Amino acid sequence: MAATDIAVFGAGAWGTALAMAWARQGARVDLWGHPPSLVDQLVQTRRHPSLADVELPAGVTPRHDPADLFGAPLWVSALPTQVAPEVWRDLASRTPRRPELVVSVSKGILQHTFRRVSETLEPILGVPVGAFSGPTFADEVSRSRPSAIVLALPAAVPDGRAEALQAQLATPNLRVYLSRDVTGVELCGAFKNVLSIAAGLVESLGLGNNARAALITRGLAEMARLVEAMGGSRDTLMGLAGLGDLVLTATGPQSRNRTFGALVGKGMTVEAAAASLGNQVVEGVFTAEAALGMAETMGVDLPITREVVRLLAGEDPRASVERLMQRDLRPERD
């Protein structure tokens, strides 16, 4: 039997929160991250700087050397999306061993290739890669607050194995639903960050609850056009990974993307807004341009996303709102 049940590569708030949740259920979880000073802090204080009020359970072992994680039967990738391929190429070169599958918990689209995380990692690792996504703030999962999430696995993973993995990753306070729509789950998880930046803009400009509700609803329609064009399922859009995660991230006070959008809407530069958030990764910044590029290759219209890209380029926020309000009238289904 392996000394570790689950290896989490990426010791950000989300990867650490999941490690905590699984360890509380008795799993032995090894956790590796960067920079080394972060791992030092986890070892010495048993607390993550972004989850400072919650102590790591005994079952979580922070590791300085990623090689210590390679023997685990399940690998979880919690690395920031934009650096994940490069890091995994390096990690894969260090060991010939591979697990049966890898689960990615990162949300985003690769900025230069317009590819999803799973379709980028599968050829690097040579194993199926699934996605774990839904309306889940890291701090609430770390505190064992009731949450629900979707585990999306590709068809290469047999039904019996998929159900066993679903049971392994579920806890009494983290309900896991099984899906086979990896494409839809990943795209929803990425795209909702872009729409959440727009929601922050609406908030900062004082445009009211009507405008925010319209933004979320039309944003969901925009998400649907892209997901369905890429082969995802409408059921996913209306579920936890789609509507659920969008509502949470567009309205929740812990949302980095919403807060970032609000700061930019108040006149901060992109750089200043990021700095005010402690230079945490704001995935929607990277995903906006990538989603727009992906949509253009598919002939899909994403007007809200286009305005977010303009906003990030320094254009006047109120001009963006005006352009959206003055678009040609059309049936709601469009």
Side-chain angles (χ1 to χ4, degrees), residues 209-219 304:
N209 293 321
N210 292 354
R212 183 170 67 174
L215 182 281
I216 291 173
T217 307
R218 292 310 301 167
I304 297 173

Side-chain angles (χ1 to χ4, degrees), residues 156-234:
V157 180
D159 288 345
R161 181 67 186 105
E163 291 167 2
L165 187 60
Q166 176 187 21
Q168 179 184 1
L169 299 183
T171 78
N173 293 303
L174 183 63
R175 185 169 176 81
V176 177
Y177 288 85
L178 188 60
S179 169
R180 292 298 191 167
D181 183 18
V182 178
T183 297
V185 167
E186 283 190 296
L187 287 177
C188 286
F191 197 70
K192 58 88 183 179
N193 286 328
V194 180
L195 299 173
S196 297
I197 291 176
L201 167 65
V202 167
E203 176 185 317
S204 68
L205 294 179
L207 299 180
N209 293 321
N210 292 354
R212 183 170 67 174
L215 182 281
I216 291 173
T217 307
R218 292 310 301 167
L220 185 65
E222 201 162 299
M223 184 188 292
R225 289 197 293 271
L226 181 61
V227 168
E228 292 184 320
M230 299 301 294
S233 167
R234 180 166 287 273

